[in-house]
Amino acid sequence: MRKNWLLPLLLVSVVAGCGVRPSAVISGAPAPAGPANGAVLYFLSGGQPVRVLRPLADELPPASPVDLLAAGPDESERERRYTTEVPSGTAVLDQTPAPNGVTVTLSIGVAGLSARAVDQIVCTVRDSLGGSAQITLRGEGSVRGPLSCPLPG
């Protein structure tokens, strides 16, 4: 007897659907064109590198992500307690393809950089290149690398 009322109930449920009525196509605004105006930088949080998206003003010329990293956290990033070990004034002098990735020549000696500063630079360069290339850092006669970012991209 139980099976007799279960089948009609199931049939009514399937026919009724979920109660959502069909509608016409709802159009929205067009999708944005071009890249988002922001830079991916790796600052430190609790001593560990973290990915931070920094919005950039439309009227400013694009700066090298390493230059932005060397300038340190902005006000909102400092409020979130982000820090950096990349020395102020660090700049990219040259960036050349290498067999295993890219060689980045910096304005400072790379031998004295802390391991965290190296991670910050390598991860920032990797993301600016849009891939997982190995990065060799060169500066003031010293070389470090090839290196990979220890964080997923």
Side-chain angles (χ1 to χ4, degrees):
M1 186 93 166
R2 221 173 164 169
K3 290 182 183 179
N4 290 342
W5 64 269
L6 188 58
L7 185 60
L9 182 62
L10 181 61
L11 185 60
V12 168
S13 298
V14 170
V15 171
C18 63
V20 176
R21 295 179 180 214
S23 67
V25 174
I26 301 171
S27 61
N37 199 15
V40 175
L41 308 174
Y42 283 80
F43 286 115
L44 300 175
S45 177
Q48 298 302 312
V50 292
R51 187 174 199 247
V52 176
L53 179 62
R54 178 184 286 178
L56 299 175
D58 289 334
E59 65 275 358
L60 294 177
S64 159
V66 174
D67 295 347
L68 296 173
L69 185 64
D74 65 17
E75 184 177 338
S76 69
E77 293 159 348
R78 283 190 302 274
E79 287 173 2
R80 291 180 278 167
R81 301 186 189 274
Y82 293 133
T83 61
T84 186
E85 289 188 9
V86 176
S88 178
T90 300
V92 174
L93 301 178
D94 189 34
Q95 193 168 300
T96 57
N100 56 352
V102 66
T103 298
V104 178
T105 303
L106 300 175
S107 60
I108 61 166
V110 297
L113 289 173
S114 70
R116 288 184 279 207
V118 169
D119 286 346
Q120 285 183 263
I121 294 168
V122 167
C123 292
T124 297
V125 169
R126 180 211 50 198
D127 281 16
S128 73
L129 297 174
S132 58
Q134 291 198 314
I135 314 296
T136 300
L137 300 178
R138 176 171 290 171
E140 293 185 357
S142 55
V143 176
R144 288 178 85 162
L147 305 163
S148 296
C149 177
L151 303 173

